[in-house]
């Protein structure tokens, strides 16, 4: 396994002991395949970051912990690595802990492991459940500042939340939906990946409140727990369409939009208006193909940069700043896509 990095640096990146890394690199026995994958991933991360980071000054090791579909964590990784040069004069090293789904206990074990091992900060996207909130408290007690990204844990000891005003985003979606549906009849399908993510809950409340005020005649049909994954989303959407022949539009709060549209197609149903969130790879393609009406987007690079700055401020590496303001909500259509949108 060729590489230019000292064993100590690989061990720090992987969160493993130097002895374990040495056994993996030299092909000795007694190491699980999952551990070997962590070492290979650490080397790949170091190699990517080495080509972008040419900074001098203080070094921060930050852990990025996220429960989200791969399309979103890939966008977060790309946003962070694109922002590394802007963090001068600091050097930021990142360890990634990504998973698409799973019990909260596994996420808690990851967070507790970081608390024991040590870190300069944690950037976290996690469900808003008591055990995760408690784990954040243990991290802060261990001197590890936590910043929630995209979705908040407001009852936790986290330092700040970075992201959009999700209730305003949901109300924006309702406004667009009402304008575009006009006088046409039809019910609206609202789709959440999980009821445990605070951002999705806030979006749903904003959407429902605005629709109730402006279009009380519309029926909203909710599905949830598809985890934003196409494999589970398809069955949920198809079942909803089969139960309700009047569904004509979709507000996708949690993703899985390829599967949602496939369910419409397979039943020969038309989706008149489709509003979604985030310009990830899937949504960019669907928007270009005019399968989505609009995407509510926010600048992930700006959000990641602000999260890193918050970690640095927690260590007195940057001067204090005022409260973190919500990110701007961009309404993106096929005709005003940002040039950096995923290909």
């Amino acid at each position: 396994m060729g590489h230019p990095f000292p064993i100590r640096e690989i061990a720090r990146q992987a969160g493993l002991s130097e002895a374990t890394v040495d056994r993996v690199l030299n092909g000795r026995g007694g190491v699980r395949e999952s551990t070997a994958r962590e070492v290979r991933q650490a080397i790949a991360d170091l190699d990517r970051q080495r080509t972008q980071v040419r900074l001098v000054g203080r070094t921060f090791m930050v852990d990025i912990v996220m429960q989200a579909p791969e399309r979103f964590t890939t966008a977060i990784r790309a946003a962070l690595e694109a922002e590394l040069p802007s963090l001068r004069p600091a050097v930021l090293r990142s360890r990634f802990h990504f998973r698409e789904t799973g019990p909260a206990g596994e996420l808690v074990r990851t967070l507790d492991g970081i608390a024991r091992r040590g870190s300069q900060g944690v950037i976290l996207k996690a469900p808003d459940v008591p055990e995760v909130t408690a784990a954040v408290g243990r991290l802060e007690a261990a001197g590890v500042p936590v910043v929630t990204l995209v979705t908040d844990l407001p009852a936790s000891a986290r330092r700040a939340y970075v992201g959009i005003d999700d209730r305003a985003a949901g109300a924006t979606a309702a406004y667009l939906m009402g304008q575009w549906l006009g006088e046409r009849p039809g019910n609206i399908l609202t789709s959440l990946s999980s009821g445990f993510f605070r951002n999705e809950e806030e979006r749903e409340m904003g959407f429902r409140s605005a629709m109730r005020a402006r279009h009380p005649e519309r029926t909203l049909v909710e599905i949830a727990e598809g985890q934003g994954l196409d494999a589970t989303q398809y069955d949920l959407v198809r079942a909803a369409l089969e139960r309700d022949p009047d569904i004509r539009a979709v507000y996708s709060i949690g993703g899985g939009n390829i599967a949602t549209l496939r369910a419409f197609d397979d039943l020969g149903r038309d989706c008149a208006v489709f509003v979604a969130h985030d310009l990830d790879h899937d949504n960019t393609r669907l928007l270009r193909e005019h399968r989505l009406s609009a995407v509510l987007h926010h600048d992930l690079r700006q959000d990641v940069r602000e999260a890193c700055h918050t970690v640095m401020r927690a260590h007195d590496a940057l001067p204090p700043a005022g409260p973190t303001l919500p990110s701007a909500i961009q309404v993106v259509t096929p005709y005003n896509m940002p040039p950096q949108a995923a290909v």
Side-chain angles (χ1 to χ4, degrees):
M1 192 184 299
H3 64 88
F5 308 107
I7 287 178
R8 178 178 298 177
E9 190 171 3
I10 298 170
R12 187 181 185 203
Q13 177 73 25
L16 300 169
S17 70
E18 293 182 29
T20 298
V21 172
D22 183 74
R23 286 199 299 274
V24 172
L25 295 178
N26 291 288
R28 301 191 183 98
V31 179
R32 294 192 300 268
E33 174 56 29
S34 60
T35 302
R37 284 198 301 270
E38 290 177 8
V39 172
R40 291 193 291 269
Q41 184 62 57
I43 291 172
D45 289 340
L46 285 169
D47 188 57
R48 251 194 330 271
Q49 293 171 29
R50 183 184 60 161
T51 62
Q52 298 184 56
V53 180
R54 294 292 184 266
L55 310 178
V56 294
R58 193 166 174 181
T59 298
F60 294 85
M61 178 61 76
V62 176
D63 289 271
I64 320 298
V65 183
M66 295 200 160
Q67 180 173 313
E70 183 181 4
R71 62 180 179 272
F72 186 77
T73 55
T74 296
I76 288 292
R77 186 194 290 264
L80 176 62
E81 293 179 349
E83 282 300 306
L84 291 180
S86 75
L87 299 176
R88 299 175 185 272
V91 174
L92 187 139
R93 296 289 192 190
S94 49
R95 292 186 292 236
F96 299 99
H97 313 267
F98 294 159
R99 66 180 202 158
E100 291 197 310
T101 187
E106 293 181 4
L107 194 59
V108 168
R109 282 192 287 276
T110 297
L111 297 174
D112 285 342
I114 294 168
R116 289 191 300 271
R117 183 174 63 238
S119 175
Q120 272 73 55
V122 170
I123 298 174
L124 178 63
K125 179 186 183 295
D128 185 10
V129 294
E131 50 265 52
V132 173
T133 294
V136 170
R138 292 190 290 274
L139 279 163
E140 288 282 352
V144 180
V146 178
V147 181
T148 53
L149 181 69
V150 179
T151 185
D152 198 13
L153 302 172
S156 74
R158 54 90 172 126
R159 298 297 175 99
Y161 160 68
V162 177
I164 61 174
D165 179 335
D166 286 292
R167 195 172 290 234
T172 301
Y175 174 79
L176 296 173
M177 188 72 70
Q179 292 292 107
W180 287 334
L181 279 177
E183 299 302 318
R184 287 178 291 177
N187 299 337
I188 301 170
L189 182 70
T190 63
S191 170
L192 294 84
S193 74
S194 171
F196 293 106
F197 285 102
R198 177 57 67 107
N199 65 330
E200 296 190 19
E201 181 184 51
E202 294 281 346
R203 291 172 186 177
E204 193 273 339
M205 287 191 292
F207 184 81
R208 188 173 293 274
S209 176
M211 289 300 298
R212 186 185 304 117
R214 298 176 62 87
H215 306 283
E217 75 284 359
R218 297 281 183 193
T219 298
L220 305 185
V221 180
E222 180 181 315
I223 60 172
E225 304 309 318
Q227 306 303 321
L229 304 176
D230 288 338
T232 47
Q233 182 74 2
Y234 177 85
D235 292 336
L236 290 170
V237 175
R238 181 168 182 137
L241 293 176
E242 289 173 341
R243 288 192 303 268
D244 189 337
D246 295 324
I247 293 174
R248 295 287 182 272
V250 174
Y251 174 37
S252 175
I253 299 170
N257 300 325
I258 289 176
T260 296
L261 286 166
R262 182 158 54 87
F264 272 87
D265 292 343
D266 288 352
L267 293 174
R269 300 273 288 276
D270 176 55
C271 184
V273 182
F274 197 136
V275 179
H277 281 269
D278 301 320
L279 272 182
D280 56 34
H281 185 275
D282 288 353
N283 285 346
T284 297
R285 180 170 65 82
L286 292 173
L287 196 59
R288 284 186 172 133
E289 294 172 356
H290 292 243
R291 301 300 308 277
L292 301 180
S293 308
V295 170
L296 302 181
H297 179 62
H298 53 110
D299 188 340
L300 285 180
R301 286 184 57 171
Q302 176 181 317
D303 287 352
V304 166
R305 182 168 64 249
E306 179 58 33
C308 293
H309 284 170
T310 302
V311 169
M312 294 176 186
R313 290 188 193 104
H315 294 280
D316 298 320
L318 290 176
T324 302
L325 299 176
S327 306
I329 302 169
Q330 304 171 29
V331 179
V332 182
T333 73
Y335 301 101
N336 69 329
M337 297 178 67
Q340 70 271 22
V343 178

